[in-house]
Amino acid sequence: MNWPSPPAPISPDLKQIQIWRICLESQPISPCQLCLSAEEQARAARFRFERDRRRFIQSRGSLRHILSRYLDCRPAEVAFTYGEYGKPQVSNDSALAFNLSHSEDLALCAVGYRQRLGIDLEHLRPLTHFDSLSRRCLCDS
């Protein structure tokens, strides 16, 4: 997998954030699947639809490849711990923070040090039945 390097190294002492854009459909699935942990592979196997399974593998594998650049390790060596509500954290480096959001075929990953990060992504879809929805949900005034 040919990943570009981050634009410049992030200093752990500065509050810098780098955002990675991941086109899931363009990511080959094999390198992504090979670096997943046994737990992640089991989770992927539980998806009912192949499209959702593939997107999970591609997003989680891509996340591992990105974080491995910051941790200077192989993607399979990136280790996660999970908080009280299931939010993953990197256990290799407690100062490294990240957040991943995906929708449809696109994912965004924010990476920084010593700060809480959040990023959100939503696929926009056309609202085809606006007239009937507005009649049902809105009132005349």
Side-chain angles (χ1 to χ4, degrees):
M1 190 174 290
N2 185 16
W3 289 91
S5 296
I10 294 178
S11 169
D13 300 321
L14 299 176
K15 288 199 174 199
Q16 299 174 331
I17 299 171
Q18 291 182 342
I19 308 291
W20 291 78
R21 181 178 184 262
I22 307 158
C23 297
L24 297 176
E25 288 301 313
S26 68
Q27 298 305 319
I29 198 159
S30 294
C32 291
Q33 193 162 19
L34 289 173
C35 69
L36 297 184
S37 69
E39 178 186 338
E40 290 167 323
Q41 290 188 26
R43 186 173 164 195
R46 289 192 298 267
F47 280 92
R48 182 176 177 190
F49 299 109
E50 179 61 30
R51 178 194 70 214
D52 297 331
R53 181 178 10 265
R54 184 177 187 85
R55 286 177 180 162
F56 173 80
I57 292 168
Q58 290 166 316
S59 64
R60 197 60 177 231
S62 297
L63 173 65
R64 286 179 161 279
H65 278 85
I66 290 168
L67 294 176
S68 73
R69 293 287 191 152
Y70 295 89
L71 297 168
D72 194 27
C73 67
R74 292 185 6 245
E77 294 171 345
V78 175
F80 297 102
T81 57
Y82 296 88
E84 180 181 353
Y85 300 107
K87 182 175 172 144
Q89 300 167 326
V90 175
S91 57
N92 305 61
D93 181 349
S94 62
L96 185 66
F98 72 93
N99 192 258
L100 178 70
S101 180
H102 47 87
S103 182
E104 295 290 321
D105 296 329
L106 185 63
L108 294 176
C109 179
V111 181
Y113 285 94
R114 292 183 179 81
Q115 54 194 320
R116 293 174 58 186
L117 297 175
I119 193 162
D120 194 27
L121 176 67
E122 291 294 331
H123 176 76
L124 295 178
R125 61 178 195 240
L127 189 57
T128 56
H129 303 336
F130 181 75
D131 290 336
S132 63
L133 179 66
S134 65
R135 281 191 298 276
R136 191 174 68 219
C137 299
L138 304 174
C139 63
D140 294 330
S141 52

